[in-house]
Amino acid sequence: MRYEFPKDFLWGVATSAYQIEGAVDEDGRGKSIWDVFSHTPGKIHNDENGDVACDHYHRYKEDVESMAELGVKAYRFSISWCRIFPDGKKNLNEKGLDFYSKLVDELLKHEIEPFPTLYHWDLPQALQENGGWENRETVNWFEKYSYTVFKRLGDRVKNWITLNEPFCSSFLGYVTGEHAPGYRNEVKRALSVAHNLLLAHGKSVKILREEVRGGRIGIANAVNIVSPASENEDDIRSARMVDEILNGWYHEPIASGKYPDELSKMYEFVGYMPEIGEEDMKIISEPMDFWGVNYYSRVLVKSNPEKFGGFEWVGGDLEKTDMGWEVYPKGIYEAIVKVRNYKELPVYITENGMADRDELVDGRVEDRRRIRYIKDHLRWLHKAIKEGHDVRGYFVWTLMDNFEWAHGYSKRFGLLYTDYRTLERIPKSSFNWYKEVISENGFEDDEELMDGWKIENPN
Ligand code: FCB
């Protein structure tokens, strides 16, 4: 059967600043929490860091060329706050703004729609030293930063994303300690971070309305499909709670101006609830234009009173990517339905893709599993569209292999293979396949639609 996509469907690729730019000491850039974290021994695989990364800061033209060759209609990238305001606050660094302005011009020259994210985890270190996202003042500095960027780029950039995955900034940064700033088991602090991030989101939406004529804005949340590991009632209850922790907490306040009931009661009970100002929920729920959905996998939850929080995540029986994430393509469909249940807004899949053990053999990378991964997800996405869900675009994570946070350079998600010795980018088979999909605005496939990849499946 042929999977045909809507005429204006926005095919894209996504990246983020710290993962690709490098040039950390150039043109007046300040430090971010990720510079400090990645230079702290023991935090990142092999103690790697983003000092050079893909050197995109110097090679952006070449990278835009590759995107043009791929034929994408849109590019999601992130703006590094510490290039614009090195101290996070006051001293505007024109050179930092210039870089993004040139990038935008280069994209438009190739008819690629820029889709910048204002915050993809790289808080200016100077603000962290002042309490970071726990300090409400950071919200005001974010407002100022948003305003500055909107003013400067808003004449050419109409589509904006406020935050990338605030769940990760709060929980991976303050509970698991896997991400910057690297605190552990600080749930109360994580929740105040999350609250301030949501406030920053809402304020930024409001500023966009005032400053960018014809502008559209949304948030890119991680959406995880959470299922109980069994039919057992305790597992079902735990799964519902985890769903609220991961998803509800970052969607409901935006959609309907309140935190999820059950979980708030529990947080209240243990004294974890953040302080909520009178206007806060109104600010957070400032009407926005679309949901960005970052979808990768599902999680299975089992109740376990011995564990922190009373639950644990268990491995399922589906095939896994190199990240150890189960491949569950149906989840992209479920994620779309889910966010539209919170509020019926248009959806962009702002990230989807897989890490695999790609190997360069005779100058080629045959990444057949990645092609199958993307294709299977697109088939489920197509079903959502057919059923009437307004899904406007799809961004592959990611254009080229890059710095995968705590995993350093060990995980490859790109359509382009990055040779880290020479920084050469080499198109993988998936690059050529995706290029064809875009040019045909769809593809043929006769296989049966499967919920997830059963382990016995061959490549
Ligand atoms: C997402 C992040 C993105 C990338 C992918 C693999 O959670 O937003 O930067 O690391 O995972």
Side-chain angles (χ1 to χ4, degrees):
M1 109 168 225
R2 180 163 166 78
Y3 291 83
E4 174 83 30
F5 286 76
K7 197 164 84 355
D8 299 321
F9 194 71
L10 217 59
W11 299 102
V13 283
T15 64
S16 91
Y18 190 69
Q19 295 180 272
I20 63 167
E21 285 179 1
V24 290
D25 286 323
E26 234 152 302
D27 292 339
R29 177 185 181 276
K31 280 206 182 330
S32 84
I33 55 175
W34 270 94
D35 293 290
V36 174
F37 189 69
S38 66
H39 280 270
T40 309
K43 298 296 183 193
I44 312 289
H45 172 83
N46 278 343
D47 283 338
E48 288 159 350
N49 58 59
D51 288 4
V52 177
C54 304
D55 195 34
H56 169 78
Y57 191 76
H58 298 116
R59 297 168 196 243
Y60 74 92
K61 284 195 178 162
E62 178 195 329
D63 291 332
V64 175
E65 277 295 327
S66 300
M67 288 183 242
E69 156 81 26
L70 182 57
V72 287
K73 316 276 184 233
Y75 174 44
R76 175 177 176 231
F77 58 98
S78 81
I79 296 175
S80 158
W81 185 347
C82 61
R83 283 199 195 279
I84 314 293
F85 289 103
D87 63 352
K89 298 182 180 173
K90 294 198 184 104
N91 302 311
L92 175 65
N93 176 33
E94 275 297 335
K95 283 189 177 159
L97 260 178
D98 254 12
F99 170 70
Y100 296 104
S101 182
K102 285 188 298 195
L103 172 63
V104 161
D105 286 341
E106 196 66 20
L107 289 165
L108 292 174
K109 194 167 100 190
H110 290 88
E111 293 176 39
I112 299 170
E113 179 78 37
F115 249 79
T117 304
L118 289 166
Y119 185 71
H120 200 123
W121 305 351
D122 44 358
L123 185 73
Q125 175 63 17
L127 293 181
Q128 186 63 39
E129 281 159 21
N130 218 7
W133 285 110
E134 284 176 84
N135 182 348
R136 221 177 144 110
E137 250 183 46
T138 298
V139 178
N140 303 336
W141 297 122
F142 185 77
E143 265 189 281
K144 176 164 186 196
Y145 157 63
S146 307
Y147 173 86
T148 309
V149 175
F150 291 153
K151 270 285 190 213
R152 177 64 179 273
L153 304 179
D155 56 337
R156 287 155 291 157
V157 178
K158 299 301 173 190
N159 290 292
W160 295 85
I161 291 165
T162 53
L163 310 177
N164 182 69
E165 303 185 354
F167 165 77
C168 293
S169 309
S170 47
F171 272 70
L172 304 192
Y174 285 80
V175 182
T176 69
E178 207 183 314
H179 281 185
Y183 295 105
R184 280 178 211 273
N185 297 336
E186 299 279 358
V187 181
K188 188 176 166 61
R189 291 170 71 190
L191 291 172
S192 96
V193 163
H195 187 67
N196 287 333
L197 279 161
L198 288 169
L199 277 171
H201 156 82
K203 293 207 169 194
S204 177
V205 171
K206 184 138 192 275
I207 300 173
L208 178 101
R209 293 279 176 260
E210 289 155 9
E211 303 302 332
V212 181
R213 194 174 313 149
R216 298 172 70 248
I217 194 159
I219 188 168
N221 268 325
V223 181
N224 282 286
I225 298 303
V226 184
S227 309
S230 77
E231 300 284 296
N232 178 307
E233 231 176 83
D234 291 338
D235 289 352
I236 294 175
R237 198 168 330 109
S238 297
R240 204 165 56 224
M241 185 171 82
V242 172
D243 181 42
E244 293 200 341
I245 294 174
L246 296 174
N247 301 313
W249 207 257
Y250 305 88
H251 287 89
E252 274 190 45
I254 293 175
S256 38
K258 62 176 192 51
Y259 282 114
D261 287 338
E262 256 184 81
L263 190 58
S264 318
K265 275 191 210 128
M266 199 192 89
Y267 283 152
E268 205 78 77
F269 182 72
V270 290
Y272 284 172
M273 259 328 249
E275 233 173 85
I276 301 178
E278 217 176 291
E279 294 286 297
D280 287 8
M281 299 318 283
K282 186 162 161 269
I283 295 170
I284 293 174
S285 56
E286 180 74 30
M288 61 172 196
D289 300 293
F290 59 84
W291 291 117
V293 170
N294 293 354
Y295 174 75
Y296 290 94
S297 188
R298 68 167 182 182
V299 298
L300 293 182
V301 176
K302 197 169 155 36
S303 140
N304 182 348
E306 316 258 286
K307 296 269 170 173
F308 185 66
F311 61 82
E312 62 180 325
W313 296 12
V314 293
D317 56 0
L318 300 177
E319 202 171 312
K320 298 188 177 55
T321 70
D322 197 29
M323 296 294 278
W325 300 344
E326 279 191 308
V327 181
Y328 181 63
K330 187 183 183 194
I332 202 168
Y333 167 84
E334 295 174 334
I336 293 164
V337 173
K338 186 175 180 63
V339 298
R340 285 169 61 82
N341 269 333
Y342 289 122
K343 188 171 187 177
E344 214 177 296
L345 294 173
V347 171
Y348 291 89
I349 301 300
T350 34
E351 286 182 28
N352 177 240
M354 82 177 281
D356 211 352
R357 304 224 170 105
D358 300 320
E359 276 175 42
L360 186 62
V361 180
D362 297 332
R364 296 158 66 98
V365 181
E366 304 274 6
D367 56 339
R368 297 205 341 261
R369 281 213 322 158
R370 180 171 295 103
I371 294 177
R372 209 178 122 220
Y373 180 100
I374 297 174
K375 192 203 261 182
D376 281 355
H377 284 77
L378 283 173
R379 289 162 69 208
W380 277 103
L381 184 155
H382 186 266
K383 180 173 158 71
I385 296 179
K386 259 199 352 218
E387 290 179 4
H389 292 290
D390 186 357
V391 186
R392 306 247 174 119
Y394 173 87
F395 295 80
V396 171
W397 183 270
T398 176
L399 175 64
M400 57 197 154
D401 300 334
N402 57 42
F403 179 75
E404 179 48 39
W405 309 111
H407 301 278
Y409 297 98
S410 67
K411 304 293 175 198
R412 294 181 177 273
F413 274 91
L415 297 176
L416 295 168
Y417 179 94
T418 306
D419 179 336
Y420 291 109
R421 284 167 310 136
T422 60
L423 291 176
E424 197 190 339
R425 291 93 156 103
I426 299 147
K428 302 179 191 175
S429 302
S430 57
F431 181 97
N432 296 320
W433 176 81
Y434 192 47
K435 175 177 169 172
E436 201 174 304
V437 171
I438 298 173
S439 90
E440 305 275 318
N441 203 33
F443 53 84
E444 296 276 344
D445 193 283
D446 289 322
E447 295 217 5
E448 217 176 298
L449 208 51
M450 252 191 306
D451 295 1
W453 290 5
K454 295 278 177 285
I455 259 152
E456 62 273 14
N457 274 343
N459 269 353

